[in-house]
Amino acid sequence: MNSELTILDLFMQASLLVKMVMLILLGMSIASWAMIIKRSQVLSEASRKAAQFEDRFWSGVDLSQLYKEVQGRKDELTGSEQIFYSGFKEFARLHRSNDKVPEAVMEGTGRAMRVSLSKEVDELETSLPFLATVGSISPYIGLFGTVWGIMTAFIALGAVKQATLAMVAPGIAEALVATAMGLFAAIPAVMFYNRLTNKVAKLEHTYATFMEEFSSILHRQAFAANQEQ
């Protein structure tokens, strides 16, 4: 047996099915890393924008003025800004037509903000199910390639009269590469899935907290205006 065999050599000597398994795992690994990098950037940017907007929101700026500022770029809004825009827009619309029924105003406003919150969280979770899938199935795909490769090696070994370890070892080594590649794809996918899911949960909590605080402000405005009438 050649002790200098590289992974590329083992790949080239593997059977067609094992080669396909390795290529599938390689593709899954590359795709998962691309998604990990992209999602990490998106979530970091979302955290930065949420903190930046909340600093502006709590700076004492008039809400109507802030609404006009974000309305000018309504197609680019995300996160807390989008929740604010949807909530204030619905609040202003309902307040004009239901100014004597503040409960109806707040119910509609809350519903609009909850819809925006759900959409924002869905957007943050994009690609995470794929990482979970890669983490779950990659070891089994690699194991399938290994089982097939070992089975092929032993079948070939049974066809010769004098079997030696040197004859079967390369085939087993080729097969085991599939398992290694399965783990190579799965481990980072699982690690970053958990990490990114935790980041999404923190952002969702940030958005939900902002929504509740903003609702309290609008609630006071709605009922104060009703009492003045």
Side-chain angles (χ1 to χ4, degrees):
M1 184 176 95
N2 185 1
S3 60
E4 300 299 323
L5 283 176
T6 65
I7 292 179
L8 181 60
D9 293 328
L10 293 174
F11 171 79
M12 297 304 296
Q13 295 175 17
S15 66
L16 178 60
L17 184 63
V18 176
K19 285 180 180 177
M20 291 177 61
V21 167
M22 292 181 183
L23 290 175
I24 290 172
L25 292 171
L26 180 61
M28 293 173 68
S29 180
I30 293 172
S32 65
W33 273 108
M35 292 179 183
I36 286 168
I37 294 170
K38 178 63 176 178
R39 282 294 98 190
S40 296
Q41 293 173 342
V42 168
L43 294 178
S44 296
E45 181 70 8
S47 297
R48 185 188 66 79
K49 286 185 176 180
Q52 187 179 49
F53 176 74
E54 291 198 29
D55 286 344
R56 175 65 172 155
F57 180 85
W58 295 111
S59 66
V61 64
D62 181 72
L63 294 184
S64 298
Q65 177 62 33
L66 183 59
Y67 174 73
K68 291 179 182 178
E69 290 178 10
V70 301
Q71 188 179 29
R73 46 189 177 81
K74 60 183 179 180
D75 295 331
E76 304 171 4
L77 302 179
T78 59
S80 299
E81 276 190 316
Q82 180 60 51
I83 294 169
F84 167 80
Y85 174 76
S86 300
F88 196 88
K89 179 181 179 182
E90 189 69 6
F91 176 81
R93 185 184 71 81
L94 293 174
H95 191 63
R96 286 193 298 268
S97 57
N98 298 279
D99 57 337
K100 295 182 179 180
V101 190
E103 293 84 359
V105 174
M106 292 310 303
E107 181 181 351
T109 301
R111 184 165 53 249
M113 288 194 290
R114 287 192 297 272
V115 169
S116 289
L117 173 63
S118 179
K119 289 181 178 179
E120 291 303 309
V121 173
D122 286 345
E123 179 63 27
L124 293 176
E125 291 177 340
T126 302
S127 302
L128 294 187
F130 176 80
L131 291 181
T133 300
V134 171
S136 299
I137 69 173
S138 291
Y140 297 104
I141 294 176
L143 184 60
F144 170 75
T146 296
V147 170
W148 185 270
I150 291 176
M151 181 181 68
T152 302
F154 277 105
I155 290 174
L157 187 64
V160 299
K161 294 182 179 180
Q162 186 175 0
T164 64
L165 182 61
M167 296 176 63
V168 72
I172 295 176
E174 296 160 12
L176 290 174
V177 171
T179 295
M181 291 185 68
L183 295 175
F184 180 77
I187 292 173
V190 172
M191 290 177 59
F192 280 96
Y193 171 79
N194 292 331
R195 181 178 179 182
L196 295 176
T197 299
N198 186 50
K199 285 188 175 183
V200 170
K202 287 182 178 179
L203 277 168
E204 183 178 4
H205 177 71
T206 298
Y207 295 162
T209 301
F210 170 77
M211 185 180 72
E212 292 299 324
E213 293 171 337
F214 184 40
S215 294
S216 297
I217 295 173
L218 296 179
H219 186 275
R220 289 195 295 268
Q221 291 187 6
F223 280 85
N226 185 61
Q227 291 172 0
E228 292 174 359
Q229 294 177 357

